[in-house]
Amino acid sequence: MADDTQLLDFPPSGVSDDWTVPQDWDAYTAQDHATWDTLFARQSRLLPGRASDAWFRGLDVLRLSKPGIPDYRELNDRLGALTGWQVVAVPGLVPDEVFFDHMANRRFVAGNFIRRPDQLDYLEEPDVFHDVFGHVPMLADPVFADYLAAYGRGGQRAMQMGALRNLGRLYWYTVEFGLVQEKEGLRIYGSGIVSSFSESRFALDDPSPHRIGFDLGRVMRTDYRIDDFQQNYFVIPSFDELLRVTVETDFAPLYAELAGRADIPVAAIVAGDEVITRGTQAYAREKAG
């Protein structure tokens, strides 16, 4: 989701009314493609045994291992045939109402730029690698594709109810930083982890963070960090269960309930949590001082 403090109220010059732009694939330089290939190779070596089965299936069926930055035209032919989703290029962050409209209509907004070679490990604004390598493989999974479309529709309603802060936490702790329990163990599906060399190790291997069973209300009360590793990761039992909870919950009374309750701080464990791994919080203490 977008941070409105960084956005214009209307599309800048050269941008369509829906904030989309051509990907302009032919304009990518050899260095741009080399940066993608470097990032792809590094993550591809790291993610076996870490990323979810659904993410790997998407990577394979969408043929994202082809060298160079994917051409959205080719990518959309394959993705649309699988789940009806399309990837649309945008110049950067977009307003919330634009974001939700695209998502509700199975259009995933993705950056059309790629980070510089000296930014391999961290980029504040999501680029084509984060968006396509991290997010798009999951859009090839029919259940997760339905979840994201439902989330988009829910975002449109949340805007009317003044509840975007709560709903944004659901996106953060699932789509961006979610873990799933598979028969082989915990696996990554959140794009913010999958596309990060350091956090894809930290999220599963480091003893510092808590790993907590997913609970919708709990997640929507929980603060998060945008500038560092997460100290709480929430674990869904399956994508089917994530979709079921999303579509069967009446969010209006849930928002009303949450409005009267205090936020849960980053790294906290509270009564009722299903603690899968209780973290040492050593990383957080070290960073604090």
Side-chain angles (χ1 to χ4, degrees), residues 3-207:
D3 178 351
D4 289 334
T5 62
Q6 303 177 29
L7 299 173
L8 300 173
D9 294 328
F10 50 86
S13 177
V15 176
S16 299
D17 289 344
D18 64 358
W19 289 75
T20 60
V21 295
Q23 184 193 13
D24 201 10
W25 188 87
D26 292 331
Y28 290 124
T29 66
Q31 178 176 283
D32 292 335
H33 289 298
T35 298
W36 169 280
D37 291 343
T38 297
L39 290 164
F40 189 98
R42 186 170 74 165
Q43 288 304 102
S44 296
R45 289 192 297 268
L46 182 63
L47 290 174
R50 297 176 183 273
S52 70
D53 289 341
W55 185 87
F56 272 111
R57 286 194 299 269
L59 191 75
D60 180 57
V61 73
L62 295 175
R63 304 175 196 170
L64 290 177
S65 59
K66 177 182 175 181
I69 298 169
D71 187 326
Y72 290 178
R73 294 165 295 190
E74 297 177 4
L75 179 59
N76 284 338
D77 286 343
R78 295 188 286 272
L79 183 59
L82 290 166
T83 60
W85 276 82
Q86 300 282 287
V87 179
V88 294
V90 293
L93 298 176
V94 300
D96 288 324
E97 63 270 17
V98 175
F99 177 83
F100 290 126
D101 180 71
H102 281 302
M103 187 170 288
N105 289 283
R106 293 184 180 249
R107 298 185 298 265
F108 189 81
V109 296
N112 66 342
F113 67 96
I114 192 160
R115 67 196 72 181
R116 302 190 310 267
D118 63 341
Q119 298 174 311
L120 293 185
D121 290 323
Y122 180 75
L123 189 69
E124 183 174 347
E125 189 174 358
D127 69 342
V128 64
F129 186 76
H130 169 89
D131 286 336
V132 175
F133 181 87
H135 283 291
V136 172
M138 292 302 302
L139 294 177
D141 181 81
V143 176
F144 196 79
D146 286 350
Y147 168 69
L148 269 189
Y151 184 90
R153 297 189 297 271
Q156 293 172 321
R157 294 190 294 271
M159 289 187 66
Q160 300 171 354
M161 300 177 188
L164 282 186
R165 189 160 173 264
N166 294 123
L167 191 69
R169 291 164 173 171
L170 176 60
Y171 190 89
W172 186 265
Y173 281 120
T174 59
V175 179
E176 290 290 353
F177 290 95
L179 302 180
V180 60
Q181 181 69 60
E182 296 186 348
K183 61 182 180 180
E184 298 85 1
L186 295 184
R187 295 293 184 266
I188 301 160
Y189 70 92
S191 175
I193 315 176
V194 168
S195 61
S196 168
F197 183 72
S198 52
E199 193 147 6
S200 54
R201 293 175 295 173
F202 180 85
L204 293 181
D205 299 344
D206 200 283

